[in-house]
Amino acid sequence: MTRADFSDKRMGRQVLFFISVFSLSSVLGQVSYSIPEEMAKGSLVGNIGQDLGLDLKRLKSGKARIHSGDSAEYIELNKERGVLLIKERIDRETLCGESTPCALHFQIIMENPMELFRITVEITDINDNAPSFASTEKRFEISESVVIGSKFVLEKAIDADIGLNDLQSYSLNPKDNFILKLENQIDGSKKVEMVLQKPLDRENQEQISLLLTGTDGGEPQMSGTMQIYVNVLDANDNAPVFTKPVYKATVTENSPRGTSITTVSAFDKDRGSNGEISYAISNSKRRLTDLFQIDMKSGEVILIGEIDYEKAKFYQIDIEAVDNGGLSDSSKITVDVIDVNDNNPQLNVLSKTDALLEDSPPGTVIAMMSVNDPDSGENGEVKCVINDNIPFKIQATLNGFYSLVTEIGLDREVASQYNITVTCSDEGVPSLSSSVTLTLKISDVNDNAPVFGRSSYEAYIVENNTPGLSIFTMKARDADWNQNARVSYILEDSSVNGVPVSSYVSVSADSGVIHAVRSFDYEQIKDFQFRVRAQDGGSPPLSSNVSVKILIQDQNDNAPQVLYPVQTGGSLVAEIVPRSAEVGYLVSKVVAVDVDSGQNAWLSYKLQKATDRALFEVGLQNGEIRTIRQVTDKDVVKQRLTVVVEDNGQPSRSATVNVNVAVADSFPEVLSEFTDFTQDREYNDSLTFYLVLALAVVSFLFITCLVVIISVKIYRWRQSRILYQSNLPVIPYYPPRYSDTLGTGTLPHVYNYEVCRTTDSRKSDCKFGRAGSQNVLIMEPSSTGTMQRIQSDKSILDEPDSPLEQKPPNNDWRFNQGQRPGPSGPYMPYATHIRWTPKKGTRYQHRNRHCGHFLPLVADQGSFFKLLCRGGVEVGPDQKSADKGRERLKLFR
């Protein structure tokens, strides 16, 4: 078990306090506490604020502190909590030794007004030291003729603790020949003797081994042991005897080494070697062998160390006389220390005021001092005086404490500074003294407010600054002196855009330096204002305000952002350029913006990479992509351009955009070139849910389609029966403005088509596009072939036998569409939508806006067509069937 653990178990403290009030210039009191030794650092001693009736504000404003004189500081004051805490580990044995009670004496000093409190902390003992012997073994040579009852002095065990924790008992084992005898001493210790209770017989046992154990009374008990060896000899039957049981002596403190203290003597009735006596100093708690030495032959005691009355006033020396036969006797020497006047009065300034206002009233305390003289009697009596012809006086407050106060009113115009010398002398002969000189300055009252050098301030800072950056420094001057002229700068509470201004800037209270608390962004805030107050240190304080404006300067910290063409991972945008395009043909336009300002937002466009650099160029200022030569049939269909957009900042920032251009005159040509753009997208790994859902949907659609197909077949069969059996011509239904310009029943308008294309039965998507003046193709990877914005001036089918031909658009079928970015212009409201499933050829569904229902159009390798409409027109799989269908069409007309 460690000392800390032991001390924690016995940490029950008793706190005693009392407060005494004296009718002096300051209130003084005394508080006493009792704590065990070995308490850990930071342990609580007592709530001094509560015990003295002081609140925490008073402790802080009064600058409360501990004064302990020249002694080490074991206790510290925590002003935040108003408590006394252990500052250093306290070892009672090191601090006080055997002295009791053991206590720490110190003072708590406070100012404004000055007060002094005396604190006493008693240190109680804990059982942290085990009894110990100076030597681990002791040897005796005892004659066998020694009579029963002979005594042999044993070495005492040393225990640095006191009270119950001190050494309490001894035990000796085995007890065959010897028993222990303990005799109480005047100083409270025990004389330990080993008494023979059974005659020795050298022939039976020549050597005896014993174990002496010393035990204290602490909890838990601690003990120390010493091994005793007894060699049995013959003959010597008389022990030495001292002439006196106690020897008394005196010694003056500061006596030189070698001073004789006294001489002791003992006699032995034996003759020869058995009568020869040697003297020795027994072991004791104080390690007296460091201070005194005894001549082992003559018995003279000599001083070999330094004696200080202030440390110890008397000493007790245990001595023993031993003859050659091992018989011994013990005695003691008491040494009284005589005090001399060898200590000057110790003068300590506990608290002082360096400056005092000239309007301070008489009786104002300007200093508190403590005077201590360690000497005793008249040597320790002290009186203090000050120099003449000054308006101050010194007053005794408590024993050893003085206050220096003003005697009359002060006038700074008469004297702005005083040098006060305090001299303290004792009553010894010769008298010893100490002095200290205090300097007191007389100061003015606070009657001038701080003044700024300018009526307002304006400063600049570049955006993206480092937090904590110094923006600029403001200065205010105060015409007052000393503390009244000490200016502090305070940021007044205000808000900027609903945010406290303290989150934008901070002001150094001492230097007036304004720091940026955060990194500013010019794009979010361009300037803001706040006010700073300069306040002096007077009482009451005076202040003045000034307005400060901070302007944020732009930095090129934003790269250009491309608005068009939009770059997405889900689709590819291609601009279609006809092969008949002339030089300067506007292909597209790159639109970009920069959120910076000034030249940081000036943008320029450059062509970084291109499939054919000789075909396209980019406008430096406007971002327009134009052809720089005539487009030829040799130009590849698929063109990719990389355009770089740079701003004019330093350093410059840029962004890149890819523009896909299709050089083609027909949609199938574009389609065949761009199908490979959309084959890279991977399928979704988790298809279980979708497969189950698809299975259910397909089953439902299959049953529905089966019912519909059977219904259609029955309907067609009934219509064909009516058509062939009727003798009257069947007049088919035609939409308005239907004309036979080519003899094939082609509509004279451009119609909208829905086109859907898929190459996988697992995927199906349909995109509705509208052809306009600008030819654009968008390929969706999810559908691997979905198309939008196909050509408006070409037919869906390029075969000459196609029964459909697009005509110029009719205004009756237009609808509004928003303007898209770039030079392409508005979308035209005409489009063809194709669903393409190349599993067994190409299947087109043609929705005739006039007919109002889908007309299935099936193409098989470009040679098989079938058209169904309300007129019953049919084109078969061979030339004969086609001719027959045309004839029927003429008949219907």
Side-chain angles (χ1 to χ4, degrees):
M1 180 179 294
T2 63
R3 292 184 177 181
D5 294 336
F6 181 74
S7 62
D8 289 340
K9 289 185 177 181
R10 298 176 58 89
M11 194 169 289
R13 301 190 302 272
Q14 295 181 351
V15 180
L16 307 173
F17 79 96
F18 57 90
I19 300 177
S20 301
V21 181
F22 298 87
S23 56
L24 300 174
S25 59
S26 58
V27 178
L28 300 126
Q30 179 168 329
V31 178
S32 295
Y33 297 93
S34 178
I35 62 172
E37 64 174 332
E38 303 292 346
M39 290 180 66
K41 291 183 179 180
S43 299
L44 176 67
V45 175
N47 192 328
I48 189 64
Q50 180 179 349
D51 295 340
L52 292 176
L54 302 174
D55 57 14
L56 297 181
K57 293 183 179 179
R58 173 58 183 141
L59 291 175
K60 294 178 182 178
S61 63
K63 301 178 182 179
R65 63 186 182 278
I66 289 179
H67 172 72
S68 58
D70 294 335
S71 60
E73 292 186 4
Y74 293 96
I75 308 296
E76 66 178 354
L77 173 63
N78 187 324
K79 292 185 287 186
E80 301 295 330
R81 298 167 51 192
V83 295
L84 296 177
L85 303 176
I86 298 296
K87 182 178 181 182
E88 295 291 338
R89 185 183 67 86
I90 302 175
D91 186 2
R92 192 205 63 79
E93 290 74 31
T94 302
L95 183 64
C96 300
E98 295 180 13
S99 300
T100 56
C102 181
L104 295 174
H105 301 280
F106 54 92
Q107 299 79 39
I108 293 182
I109 308 301
M110 292 194 300
E111 302 176 3
N112 299 322
M114 293 185 181
E115 294 181 304
L116 181 142
F117 301 92
R118 298 184 64 181
I119 310 299
T120 300
V121 178
E122 181 182 2
I123 310 301
T124 60
D125 182 53
I126 64 173
N127 190 25
D128 59 339
N129 294 282
S132 63
F133 294 88
S135 57
T136 58
E137 65 179 37
K138 185 175 181 64
R139 295 184 180 273
F140 290 94
E141 293 184 351
I142 304 175
S143 175
E144 64 179 349
S145 62
V146 172
V147 297
I148 294 176
S150 298
K151 296 180 293 185
F152 304 90
V153 178
L154 299 179
E155 180 179 331
K156 297 179 182 178
I158 300 173
D159 193 330
D161 296 322
I162 61 175
L164 289 176
N165 297 327
D166 195 1
L167 182 67
Q168 298 295 322
S169 62
Y170 291 91
S171 63
L172 182 66
N173 289 300
K175 302 178 180 179
D176 298 335
N177 297 96
F178 298 92
I179 60 173
L180 282 178
K181 180 180 180 183
L182 303 178
E183 181 179 349
N184 294 328
Q185 302 288 312
I186 297 176
D187 60 347
S189 63
K190 296 180 183 295
K191 180 179 180 180
V192 185
E193 294 179 327
M194 184 174 63
V195 180
L196 183 65
Q197 68 174 353
K198 180 180 178 181
L200 301 177
D201 187 359
R202 187 186 66 82
E203 287 72 25
N204 290 334
Q205 189 176 10
E206 186 174 355
Q207 188 178 56
I208 301 173
S209 178
L210 304 171
L211 182 65
L212 178 62
T213 303
T215 306
D216 63 20
E219 290 184 7
Q221 286 186 334
M222 295 185 178
S223 62
T225 61
M226 181 179 70
Q227 195 74 36
I228 302 174
Y229 299 97
V230 178
N231 293 324
V232 182
L233 304 176
D234 287 332
N236 188 24
D237 57 353
N238 289 287
V241 178
F242 278 100
T243 58
K244 294 180 181 180
V246 178
Y247 294 86
K248 295 184 179 181
T250 59
V251 62
T252 303
E253 68 170 329
N254 300 327
S255 295
R257 289 181 174 88
T259 301
S260 176
I261 303 299
T262 188
T263 300
V264 299
S265 64
F267 64 93
D268 195 322
K269 295 180 180 181
D270 293 328
R271 295 288 183 265
S273 61
N274 291 330
E276 294 179 359
I277 300 173
S278 61
Y279 302 94
I281 296 177
S282 300
N283 189 35
S284 64
K285 295 182 179 180
R286 296 191 181 181
R287 305 292 182 185
L288 296 178
T289 53
D290 296 335
L291 297 176
F292 304 96
Q293 186 180 58
I294 189 170
D295 189 284
M296 62 181 304
K297 296 299 182 182
S298 65
E300 183 182 9
V301 179
I302 301 172
L303 181 66
I304 61 174
E306 294 182 354
I307 298 295
D308 190 349
Y309 175 85
E310 285 69 41
K311 293 182 179 179
K313 296 176 175 58
F314 75 98
Y315 296 93
Q316 178 179 294
I317 307 172
D318 293 326
I319 57 176
E320 60 179 301
V322 184
D323 62 16
N324 290 337
L327 300 179
S328 63
D329 191 15
S330 63
S331 182
K332 62 175 60 67
I333 304 172
T334 59
V335 180
D336 293 326
V337 181
I338 300 175
D339 181 43
V340 297
N341 190 25
D342 59 344
N343 292 283
N344 290 355
Q346 298 174 0
L347 180 59
N348 296 316
V349 179
L350 305 179
S351 180
K352 65 176 182 177
T353 299
D354 295 329
L356 194 65
L357 294 175
E358 61 178 342
D359 58 353
S360 298
T364 301
V365 179
I366 62 174
M368 296 185 70
M369 296 167 289
S370 68
V371 182
N372 180 38
D373 195 324
D375 294 325
S376 62
E378 293 183 351
N379 296 331
E381 294 181 3
V382 180
K383 292 183 178 179
C384 297
V385 296
I386 61 174
N387 50 317
D388 298 329
N389 301 323
I390 56 174
F392 304 98
K393 63 181 179 180
I394 190 168
Q395 296 176 339
T397 57
L398 282 176
N399 186 21
F401 291 91
Y402 296 86
S403 295
L404 186 62
V405 299
T406 57
E407 190 173 20
I408 60 174
L410 304 177
D411 188 353
R412 183 177 180 276
E413 286 67 34
V414 175
S416 61
Q417 178 175 309
Y418 291 95
N419 293 321
I420 308 169
T421 301
V422 181
T423 303
C424 296
S425 304
D426 60 26
E427 299 295 326
V429 179
S431 177
L432 300 178
S433 64
S434 298
S435 63
V436 64
T437 300
L438 305 177
T439 300
L440 178 65
K441 294 182 178 179
I442 310 303
S443 59
D444 276 337
V445 296
N446 186 29
D447 55 354
N448 291 283
V451 178
F452 284 98
R454 298 167 59 181
S455 59
S456 63
Y457 291 89
E458 188 174 276
Y460 296 84
I461 184 172
V462 180
E463 68 170 334
N464 301 321
N465 57 285
T466 303
L469 178 67
S470 173
I471 302 177
F472 78 104
T473 302
M474 58 173 50
K475 282 293 182 183
R477 301 190 180 279
D478 196 312
D480 291 325
W481 176 75
N482 202 5
Q483 181 68 21
N484 295 331
R486 184 175 298 172
V487 180
S488 298
Y489 301 90
I490 303 171
L491 180 65
E492 293 192 347
D493 293 337
S494 62
S495 61
V496 178
N497 297 330
V499 178
V501 72
S502 58
S503 64
Y504 285 84
V505 294
S506 65
V507 180
S508 175
D510 297 329
S511 62
V513 178
I514 296 181
H515 297 273
V517 173
R518 64 167 63 176
S519 179
F520 295 108
D521 188 354
Y522 177 82
E523 286 71 37
Q524 295 182 0
I525 183 171
K526 295 178 173 54
D527 60 71
F528 60 93
Q529 289 185 343
F530 56 91
R531 296 184 68 82
V532 175
R533 182 172 77 252
Q535 180 174 294
D536 61 25
S539 181
L542 302 178
S543 62
S544 61
N545 300 326
V546 70
S547 176
V548 181
K549 183 176 183 180
I550 303 297
L551 295 96
I552 314 301
Q553 294 181 329
D554 184 42
Q555 197 177 39
N556 190 26
D557 58 341
N558 292 281
Q561 299 178 3
V562 178
L563 302 181
Y564 183 83
V566 179
Q567 300 291 296
T568 63
S571 65
L572 290 173
V573 178
E575 306 287 350
I576 299 178
V577 177
R579 295 189 181 276
S580 60
E582 299 293 336
V583 177
Y585 178 83
L586 179 61
V587 178
S588 182
K589 181 177 181 179
V590 177
V591 180
V593 296
D594 194 321
V595 297
D596 292 324
S597 64
Q599 65 177 7
N600 295 329
W602 297 350
L603 302 181
S604 60
Y605 304 83
K606 297 179 182 178
L607 183 62
Q608 186 182 47
K609 292 189 299 183
T611 304
D612 188 353
R613 278 188 170 274
L615 182 58
F616 302 99
E617 68 175 359
V618 178
L620 181 63
Q621 303 299 330
N622 55 22
E624 294 181 349
I625 302 176
R626 296 181 180 272
T627 58
I628 56 177
R629 63 172 175 80
Q630 177 69 41
V631 179
T632 65
D633 294 338
K634 295 181 180 181
D635 292 326
V636 297
V637 174
K638 185 169 57 178
Q639 300 278 344
R640 181 182 289 271
L641 310 179
T642 300
V643 179
V644 177
V645 184
E646 294 182 345
D647 59 26
N648 199 34
Q650 294 295 330
S652 177
R653 292 178 176 267
S654 63
T656 60
V657 61
N658 294 322
V659 181
N660 297 308
V661 179
V663 180
D665 290 328
S666 64
F667 175 74
E669 183 181 0
V670 176
L671 182 64
S672 63
E673 288 294 335
F674 278 82
T675 54
D676 60 341
F677 276 11
T678 60
Q679 300 298 325
D680 296 332
R681 185 166 182 176
E682 297 181 357
Y683 294 132
N684 193 336
D685 292 336
S686 53
L687 297 177
T688 303
F689 172 78
Y690 300 102
L691 289 176
V692 174
L693 181 62
L695 181 60
V697 173
V698 169
S699 300
F700 173 80
L701 293 178
F702 174 78
I703 297 173
T704 304
C705 291
L706 187 61
V707 174
V708 172
I709 291 173
I710 294 174
S711 302
V712 171
K713 288 294 184 181
I714 295 174
Y715 174 77
R716 288 181 179 176
W717 178 78
R718 293 183 62 186
Q719 290 294 328
S720 62
R721 295 279 296 176
I722 296 173
L723 178 65
Y724 285 105
Q725 293 177 2
S726 177
N727 295 326
L728 296 176
V730 178
I731 307 301
Y733 170 79
Y734 295 100
R737 302 182 185 181
Y738 179 90
S739 64
D740 186 13
T741 57
L742 297 179
T744 60
T746 304
L747 298 179
H749 300 288
V750 176
Y751 299 99
N752 294 332
Y753 298 92
E754 289 181 356
V755 178
C756 299
R757 175 175 177 266
T758 177
T759 58
D760 196 327
S761 62
R762 295 172 298 175
K763 298 183 178 182
S764 179
D765 197 4
C766 187
K767 299 293 181 179
F768 299 93
R770 292 176 173 81
S773 61
Q774 181 66 25
N775 301 324
V776 180
L777 177 67
I778 297 181
M779 310 299 294
E780 286 288 346
S782 61
S783 62
T784 67
T786 303
M787 300 167 289
Q788 290 183 348
R789 305 179 187 173
I790 66 174
Q791 299 179 7
S792 63
D793 57 348
K794 301 291 290 180
S795 171
I796 298 177
L797 305 175
D798 293 333
E799 289 79 7
D801 294 334
S802 174
L804 296 179
E805 180 180 356
Q806 293 183 354
K807 297 300 179 179
N810 191 308
N811 291 334
D812 295 338
W813 302 95
R814 293 178 181 270
F815 61 93
N816 293 330
Q817 178 70 19
Q819 180 73 26
R820 70 174 176 88
S824 300
Y827 293 142
M828 298 298 293
Y830 308 100
T832 300
H833 306 283
I834 299 175
R835 174 170 293 168
W836 177 23
T837 306
K839 186 173 183 182
K840 291 183 179 181
T842 303
R843 175 174 297 170
Y844 296 86
Q845 284 188 348
H846 170 212
R847 173 178 288 180
N848 191 318
R849 298 297 183 184
H850 289 286
C851 293
H853 67 280
F854 283 102
L855 302 181
L857 178 61
V858 180
D860 187 0
Q861 298 180 355
S863 63
F864 178 78
F865 300 88
K866 187 175 182 181
L867 177 65
L868 296 177
C869 194
R870 292 184 180 180
V873 179
E874 208 174 312
V875 179
D878 52 17
Q879 186 63 38
K880 183 177 180 181
S881 298
D883 294 339
K884 185 177 179 179
R886 292 189 183 94
E887 291 296 327
R888 289 180 178 177
L889 182 62
K890 291 179 181 179
L891 178 62
F892 294 152
R893 292 174 183 160

